[in-house]
Amino acid sequence: MSVDEVDGVVVEDAGWEVDPGDEPGKAILATVGRQLKTWREAKGLSAAEFGGRTGYGEDMIRKLERGDRIPRPEFLDRADDVLGAGGLVAEMKKDISVVRYPKPIRDLAKLEGRAVEFCMYTNFDVHGLLQTDEFSEAILRNWRPTYSPEQLERYLAARIGRRSVLEKSPAPEFSFIQEEVSLRRPIGGREVLRRQLEHLLEVGELPNVEIQVMPTERANHPGMSGVISILKFEDGTAVGRMDGDFGGRPVSDPKRLRILDLRYGIIRSMALTPAESRDFIEQLLGET
């Protein structure tokens, strides 16, 4: 998390950096920034005075007003109080929530929000929708080159935010296949892994969620090219991707989707059943 300095006192940064290629996000931020400036000037406050009352520096306030930074929700709450906006400035948190996460993750979240069926095969780590917060943070901290504190915060918040699809109503159908090795690697330490395995058992109890384990001992495996993700929509269309095929890009062409469906179906048939997988995860939990 980056910091700013006010009267010699280091305080938390009022916002996140804007992704350079996020043109829709930049347009929203420009609008929010103009409104902040309009409210400030109507109140008769200079940028320095406004910053002093909200706990941030003049330079940060000007960046926010130019749309160069993404305001944090807590900053907008504080600004609303200082400006006496009666909730109108705080209301802009809804606009900011659209651009808070990096654009590729927002695009993925939109697709996941439309999906009625998820088919997810993961080989190296636990699928993001199944991770605990601390497991996600441990994975992101292992990324190289390392994320800055601000990037880590944004990506972690995005990953956590995506999990809301598990609580949707009506609930989509979820099929997760996890490679055995992804459940054995102690990312973040043994205690973090234990809590992750316990979480998998809890999520696996949901009536719309099936979690299966692909044993390492399986000699024949059509998923060696990497992760497979298939999202199916209510209108019968779908989008999918696999790390090693089609350049790793999402595909919606029926012929390519059929290939992904075929591979996923074979992996699913060769994996342990959901009941067997639960027993296997409980066994791992006892060994961890």
Side-chain angles (χ1 to χ4, degrees):
M1 180 179 303
S2 57
V3 297
D4 195 15
E5 190 170 299
V6 180
D7 297 329
V9 179
V10 175
V11 297
E12 183 179 336
D13 193 339
W16 297 279
E17 291 183 0
V18 184
D19 293 336
D22 188 0
E23 296 303 328
K26 288 180 180 179
I28 291 174
L29 292 175
T31 300
V32 170
R34 283 195 299 271
Q35 292 185 55
L36 277 172
K37 185 176 181 180
T38 298
W39 275 99
R40 173 179 65 76
E41 291 178 340
K43 194 71 175 177
L45 296 174
S46 68
E49 290 171 330
F50 184 42
R53 295 191 187 185
T54 54
Y56 301 102
E58 178 182 357
D59 182 60
M60 180 57 61
I61 296 301
R62 294 197 181 283
K63 286 179 180 177
L64 292 169
E65 291 181 348
R66 290 197 303 266
D68 292 339
R69 302 285 288 185
I70 304 171
R72 294 178 183 274
E74 54 270 27
F75 167 78
L76 292 174
D77 285 332
R78 196 176 308 175
D80 192 275
D81 290 337
V82 170
L83 297 169
L88 294 177
V89 168
E91 183 73 11
M92 291 191 290
K93 288 187 291 186
K94 294 179 181 178
D95 300 302
I96 295 306
S97 67
V98 176
V99 297
R100 178 180 178 183
Y101 307 133
K103 188 175 184 300
I105 298 177
R106 296 204 312 267
D107 293 342
L108 174 59
K110 285 181 182 178
L111 289 173
E112 290 178 341
R114 290 176 46 216
V116 296
E117 185 178 348
F118 290 66
C119 298
M120 305 292 182
Y121 162 68
T122 313
N123 53 2
F124 290 124
D125 58 21
V126 175
H127 193 279
L129 296 179
L130 296 175
Q131 293 171 11
T132 62
D133 295 358
E134 60 182 350
F135 195 85
S136 290
E137 182 174 355
I139 287 177
L140 292 172
R141 286 189 182 279
N142 274 292
W143 193 259
R144 293 298 183 273
T146 56
Y147 290 127
S148 68
E150 180 180 275
Q151 289 173 320
L152 178 64
E153 181 186 8
R154 287 189 75 197
Y155 279 100
L156 180 59
R159 184 163 293 193
I160 292 171
R162 282 176 53 212
R163 295 175 200 152
S164 62
V165 295
L166 288 165
E167 303 168 357
K168 277 184 58 180
S169 180
E173 293 294 324
F174 294 91
S175 167
F176 295 99
I177 306 173
Q178 290 286 155
E179 278 292 332
E180 177 183 336
V181 67
S182 70
L183 307 179
R184 291 187 178 274
R185 184 172 290 114
I187 301 293
R190 292 288 173 185
E191 287 304 312
V192 172
L193 178 60
R194 279 189 60 83
R195 289 188 284 272
Q196 176 61 63
L197 294 176
E198 291 170 347
H199 182 66
L200 288 177
L201 293 173
E202 292 174 6
V203 176
E205 288 294 307
L206 296 174
N208 59 314
V209 176
E210 286 190 348
I211 299 175
Q212 295 178 250
V213 177
M214 182 65 164
T216 303
E217 67 180 12
R218 295 290 193 259
N220 300 317
H221 196 329
M224 297 303 290
S225 293
V227 170
I228 298 176
S229 301
I230 305 172
L231 301 176
K232 300 182 180 182
F233 308 115
E234 191 171 14
D235 62 3
T237 61
V239 63
R241 66 172 294 275
M242 185 172 187
D243 284 348
D245 277 343
F246 319 126
R249 295 185 298 273
V251 296
S252 55
D253 173 72
K255 292 182 179 179
R256 292 179 172 180
L257 285 171
R258 185 182 64 79
I259 293 172
L260 297 184
D261 253 330
L262 174 66
R263 291 176 183 168
Y264 189 83
I266 295 173
I267 297 171
R268 193 173 187 178
S269 69
M270 295 173 65
L272 301 178
T273 67
E276 291 169 340
S277 297
R278 180 176 183 82
D279 291 342
F280 184 82
I281 294 172
E282 289 178 338
Q283 178 185 332
L284 287 180
L285 184 57
E287 297 172 357
T288 302

